[in-house]
Amino acid sequence: MKSLICTTPGQFEYKDISEPLFSKGNTILKIKRIGICGTDLHAYEGTQPYFYYPRILGHELAAEIAETDAPGFSKGEQVTFIPYFNCGTCIACTSGRPNCCETLKVSGVHIDGGMTEYLSVPSYSLVHGNDHTLEELALVEPLAIGAHAVWRAQIRKGEFALVIGAGPIGLGIMEFARIAGAKVIAMDINDQRLAFCKEKNIVALTVNPSEGNPAETIKDITAGSMPTAVFDATGSLFAINKAFSYMAHSARYILVGLQKGDITFSHPEFHKREGTLMSSRNATREDFEHVLTCMKSKLIDPGTYITHRVTFDKVKKTFDSWLDPKTGVIKAMVEM
């Protein structure tokens, strides 16, 4: 079967590899759609932590079941899956937090992913499609990342939430913070992305930190209080460090984006706010189900995120362009 392998940073190769063999407790998926995410882009750039080459990328997937012994699932059924494979026995797993398992293996990051025709996954990771389209199913995982971050923040109705980074993950955070009742502020240095947020009715309040004094702008929007929930979805060390200055007294700061460096902030300033700093990693089955419920009830329209579509045989030629902000990519979708 044909696969696309990231052999080194900046280099893809199409290769024929053996199809996976069916085994008990696993399911063979026939891949139908692949969403391209920031992890894929960063892996291609060589800036993704926890990453080794060569690797088959891809974990935002919609598929058809080719073979399974999973109870309640059947051959030919359209599904997505939870691409974080956990041990089930460590302290995180036994505490109901398998998304941050001590030995977690993420498909397309630690192990080979879905940029291939067929993929074997643990049957426990399957998620029913529930009559959703293939493109919707391929977007459940990135939206679940946002849903999990909002769950971590324990958003309160009516509070101001600042989301820094208006890419796909940031948009998901905005959507679920809005659904939870927050007054959401989008921040990005890309005016095109901020315009997208407004045009698609995701948020009404936007800030470009490269224009004027962003802290004063946010202070004006929040009537002097500043946001009580701040999310980073950039993975930019500069943006992460700067965002401490946007926190209200008593605020929570949730790191969703990931980078390789050390975070630096003023302890006295953070301390006097009695700030809460937390990370948000991956998502749980409950987050996936919440996303599907919100899709079904039309609280969220994931199709609005897809700005670029390409067939699998064109990915190698096209991928470089998705790194350029001028192309206006929010979400690229690959069709198998």
Side-chain angles (χ1 to χ4, degrees), residues 34-38 40-41 60 115 168 319 322 330-334:
I34 307 163
I36 303 299
C37 77
D40 301 321
L41 297 172
E60 298 179 1
M115 285 196 184
F319 204 91
W322 297 334
I330 299 294
K331 176 61 66 175
M333 185 65 62
V334 179

Side-chain angles (χ1 to χ4, degrees), residues 240-288:
I240 289 169
N241 287 339
K242 182 67 176 175
F244 284 93
S245 65
Y246 304 142
M247 294 174 66
H249 282 245
S250 78
R252 295 95 70 210
Y253 184 12
I254 303 91
L255 299 177
V256 189
L258 182 63
Q259 51 78 45
K260 290 183 175 181
D262 295 332
I263 298 169
T264 304
F265 59 94
S266 166
H267 187 180
E269 287 297 320
F270 185 75
H271 193 92
K272 75 181 184 181
R273 287 167 170 76
E274 198 178 48
T276 300
L277 176 63
M278 64 182 78
S279 60
S280 179
R281 188 181 185 197
N282 302 320
T284 64
R285 180 169 291 275
E286 290 77 13
D287 299 314
F288 275 68

Side-chain angles (χ1 to χ4, degrees), residues 2 31 48 65 75 100 104 109 116 126 139 147 172 189 223 226-227 264 280 309 312 323:
K2 182 174 282 188
I31 306 302
Q48 175 64 28
I65 293 179
K75 185 175 181 178
C100 59
L104 195 72
V109 179
T116 186
L126 296 177
L139 289 169
I189 59 173
M226 304 301 279
T264 304
S280 179
R309 290 177 172 84
F312 184 60
L323 299 170

Side-chain angles (χ1 to χ4, degrees), residues 52-95:
Y52 300 96
Y53 303 86
R55 179 68 67 228
I56 298 174
L57 306 181
H59 60 268
E60 298 179 1
L61 306 176
E64 237 176 50
I65 293 179
E67 197 167 356
T68 190
D69 61 0
F73 289 87
S74 57
K75 185 175 181 178
E77 181 180 351
Q78 288 186 177
V79 295
T80 186
F81 81 122
I82 302 171
Y84 331 120
F85 305 148
N86 60 292
C87 72
T89 58
C90 73
I91 186 64
C93 290
T94 55
S95 301

Side-chain angles (χ1 to χ4, degrees), residues 146-312:
H148 186 72
V150 169
W151 174 81
R152 287 279 285 151
Q154 294 295 290
I155 288 291
R156 299 185 292 268
K157 188 174 182 179
E159 72 175 318
F160 280 101
L162 173 66
V163 181
I164 306 167
I169 298 301
L171 291 172
I173 298 169
M174 294 175 205
E175 294 270 32
F176 286 100
R178 171 184 57 78
I179 290 167
K183 293 178 283 190
V184 183
I185 307 165
M187 175 181 278
D188 202 291
I189 59 173
N190 187 325
D191 280 327
Q192 190 175 0
R193 288 196 164 186
L194 295 179
F196 181 91
C197 291
K198 288 185 174 181
E199 289 165 7
K200 302 301 182 181
N201 296 316
I202 296 170
V203 297
L205 304 169
T206 61
V207 177
N208 187 326
S210 63
E211 298 174 359
N213 185 327
E216 286 300 317
T217 302
I218 296 168
K219 192 173 183 179
D220 289 343
I221 291 172
T222 59
S225 295
M226 304 301 279
T228 46
V230 177
F231 297 85
D232 176 79
T234 67
S236 158
L237 184 58
F238 176 82
I240 289 169
N241 287 339
K242 182 67 176 175
F244 284 93
S245 65
Y246 304 142
M247 294 174 66
H249 282 245
S250 78
R252 295 95 70 210
Y253 184 12
I254 303 91
L255 299 177
V256 189
L258 182 63
Q259 51 78 45
K260 290 183 175 181
D262 295 332
I263 298 169
T264 304
F265 59 94
S266 166
H267 187 180
E269 287 297 320
F270 185 75
H271 193 92
K272 75 181 184 181
R273 287 167 170 76
E274 198 178 48
T276 300
L277 176 63
M278 64 182 78
S279 60
S280 179
R281 188 181 185 197
N282 302 320
T284 64
R285 180 169 291 275
E286 290 77 13
D287 299 314
F288 275 68
E289 296 297 345
H290 181 43
V291 171
L292 288 165
T293 298
C294 289
M295 283 183 181
K296 190 171 185 178
S297 58
K298 306 300 182 185
L299 290 173
I300 189 168
D301 180 7
T304 60
Y305 300 165
I306 302 172
T307 54
H308 294 67
R309 290 177 172 84
V310 68
T311 54
F312 184 60

